[in-house]
Amino acid sequence: MQSCDVLIVGGGPAGSSAAWRLKRSGADVLVLDKESFPRLKLCAGWVTPEVVHDLEMDIASYPHRFLTFDKLHIHLKGLHLRVPCVQHSIRRFEFDAWLLERSGAPVVQHNVKHIRHENGEYIIDDTFRCKYLIGAGGTRCPVYRTFFRELHPRADELQTATLEHEIEYDWQDPDCHLWFFENGLPGYAWYVPKKNGWLNIGLGGMATRLKKHGGKDLKHHWGQFTGKLGRKLARGAQYHPEGYSYYLRGKVDVARIDNAFITGDAAGLATRDMCEGIGPAVRSGLHAAQAILENTPYELEEVTGASLGGGLASRMLDWAFTRGAA
Ligand SMILES: Cc1cc2nc3c(=O)[nH]c(=O)nc-3n(C[C@H](O)[C@H](O)[C@H](O)COP(=O)(O)OP(=O)(O)OC[C@H]3O[C@@H](n4cnc5c(N)ncnc54)[C@H](O)[C@@H]3O)c2cc1C
């Protein structure tokens, strides 16, 4: 059986951030991921300046596609607002592999199925043993499923369902566009250009509200949305969208039990106003690592639950997504 001090299940932004922090302090860490990196991750790939800061990224030396927007185009019920702000886009395929490699942690491809806690150790599939266990396996994380689901059940009304496709496309408009509540979608649709001819198109909405009260399903919204893009922003683009769902932040009462932690999507930490999950994943991974290294409580207060700062715009979007102004 392979032993280590800290075992991390999942090598996405939460897991690789925890691994990076732990490795820098000389901890004995192992990352398990069911996929071989670089791997596909459905995601628009929008990252905030906070993510760049938390990861101590030097943008100039980042070796992959990285695009900076100096404004966002917000489309809301016929209004078109140009909001000055600095935001970025990356391709998750590249970004996640780079983060994991940069962490310096050994990575083993392994699909975690069974975990037990025995004599102060965690035993994973009778193959790995560790003292500390970090669950960073996303929505279906086996650490969440085994130890946390009962105490920290997910709230159906906070589940978001998405469809997206990232395509090679010679875009002409280099800005990011977001359409809120278009045609009754309880969420928003996006156009996110990536550097050097890639484009991410997608939409997401609150799962329980999608088909309620005669609402349309995501595929129907997809048809309407891409039809509109085809007339202007993305003429001639062809798509094969795929879907994924994750949870926005509810009450996170229990994120640590004994020496087991949950981080990122495993803990349901995506923001309630913009459904942003990379930033909360990175920060919670760093905090879990810090709690282990310094033997301090695992705090999630500093992990943002609102991308727009929690002000009026944040609260209105949160309300509109979960209760319904669409
Ligand atoms: C369509 C879509 C668009 C999005 N757009 C954005 C965006 O633009 N910006 C943003 O901030 N957020 C976005 N999000 C949310 C964001 O992608 C997630 O919140 C973020 O990836 C969470 O990171 P994580 O590390 O917790 O989990 P993940 O990135 O999901 O990583 C989990 C890892 O665990 C591995 N794993 C899972 N199960 C097992 C197992 N049993 N054994 C071993 N390994 C396992 C997986 O292979 C994966 O590599 C989007 C989400 C979707 C679905």
Side-chain angles (χ1 to χ4, degrees), residues 25 41 54 64 68 75 79 82 84 90 104 143-144 147 156 176 184 196 209 211 217 220 226 240 277 283 297 299 315:
S25 296
K41 168 69 184 93
D54 285 356
H64 302 294
T68 295
H75 303 265
L79 286 173
R82 290 167 187 81
I90 45 83
V143 178
Y144 169 78
F147 299 112
D156 289 347
C176 174
N196 296 341
R209 298 190 46 231
K211 277 194 183 170
D217 64 16
H220 188 98
T226 53
H240 303 284
R283 204 169 274 185
E299 307 280 4
R315 292 203 302 277

Side-chain angles (χ1 to χ4, degrees), residues 254-270:
V254 187
R256 174 180 186 168
I257 300 173
D258 299 321
N259 284 334
F261 300 73
I262 43 172
T263 57
D265 278 2
L269 297 179

Side-chain angles (χ1 to χ4, degrees), residues 65-317:
R65 291 169 186 83
F66 191 99
L67 192 64
T68 295
F69 310 115
D70 59 8
K71 61 181 162 317
L72 287 178
H73 293 258
I74 307 287
H75 303 265
L76 176 66
K77 308 269 183 197
L79 286 173
H80 180 176
L81 309 168
R82 290 167 187 81
V83 182
C85 59
V86 174
Q87 301 293 331
H88 314 284
S89 78
I90 45 83
R91 295 195 69 206
R92 284 295 297 271
F93 177 77
E94 299 167 343
F95 184 70
D96 288 17
W98 178 77
L99 282 181
L100 191 54
E101 194 184 341
R102 185 184 73 151
S103 77
V107 182
V108 172
Q109 189 178 358
H110 178 92
N111 187 357
V112 173
K113 294 206 160 79
H114 302 291
I115 312 173
R116 57 182 203 277
H117 193 202
E118 210 173 81
N119 304 324
E121 285 189 320
Y122 296 92
I123 314 285
I124 292 99
D125 295 328
D126 289 321
T127 310
F128 306 93
R129 59 162 22 116
C130 60
K131 182 171 176 207
Y132 295 97
L133 180 65
I134 298 184
T139 305
R140 297 185 194 96
C141 180
V143 178
Y144 169 78
R145 197 176 61 224
T146 309
F147 299 112
F148 291 85
R149 186 161 56 189
E150 227 167 84
L151 287 165
H152 172 25
R154 290 180 173 145
D156 289 347
E157 66 276 15
L158 294 177
Q159 183 182 19
T160 173
T162 60
L163 271 182
E164 70 104 49
H165 194 196
E166 189 153 300
I167 54 170
E168 205 167 352
Y169 186 79
D170 185 18
W171 44 260
Q172 301 303 306
D173 187 331
D175 288 340
C176 174
H177 289 253
L178 305 173
W179 290 262
F180 286 86
F181 314 121
E182 220 44 9
N183 301 311
L185 177 73
Y188 68 91
W190 62 82
Y191 162 103
V192 181
K194 308 293 170 84
K195 195 162 186 176
N196 296 341
W198 285 82
L199 177 63
N200 192 291
I201 298 298
L203 44 82
M206 303 313 290
T208 53
R209 298 190 46 231
L210 269 164
K211 277 194 183 170
K212 258 191 187 167
H213 311 305
K216 299 156 195 149
D217 64 16
L218 271 186
K219 282 204 174 126
H220 188 98
H221 284 288
W222 180 268
Q224 286 187 313
F225 176 52
T226 53
K228 181 180 101 156
L229 288 182
R231 290 191 287 278
K232 197 168 172 204
L233 279 174
R235 287 200 181 92
Q238 299 290 320
Y239 310 98
H240 303 284
E242 287 184 62
Y244 191 77
S245 93
Y246 59 112
Y247 288 81
L248 307 188
R249 184 153 181 173
K251 278 209 303 179
V252 190
D253 294 331
V254 187
R256 174 180 186 168
I257 300 173
D258 299 321
N259 284 334
F261 300 73
I262 43 172
T263 57
D265 278 2
L269 297 179
T271 63
R272 291 177 65 128
D273 52 0
M274 292 294 290
C275 313
E276 175 209 347
I278 300 172
V282 166
R283 204 169 274 185
S284 59
L286 294 173
H287 282 347
Q290 187 179 338
I292 292 170
L293 289 167
E294 295 170 9
N295 196 20
T296 50
Y298 174 42
E299 307 280 4
L300 291 176
E301 280 78 34
E302 271 181 35
V303 178
T304 183
S307 304
L308 305 178
L312 186 62
S314 273
R315 292 203 302 277
M316 280 172 64
L317 281 174

Side-chain angles (χ1 to χ4, degrees), residues 2 4 6-12 15-17 19-20 23 28-39 96-111 128:
Q2 191 171 341
C4 59
V6 189
L7 189 139
I8 301 173
V9 179
S16 60
S17 301
W20 177 60
K23 261 314 247 183
D28 172 26
V29 191
L30 177 67
V31 179
L32 302 182
D33 201 293
K34 64 184 168 70
E35 306 286 346
S36 162
F37 281 66
R39 55 96 174 90
D96 288 17
W98 178 77
L99 282 181
L100 191 54
E101 194 184 341
R102 185 184 73 151
S103 77
V107 182
V108 172
Q109 189 178 358
H110 178 92
N111 187 357
F128 306 93

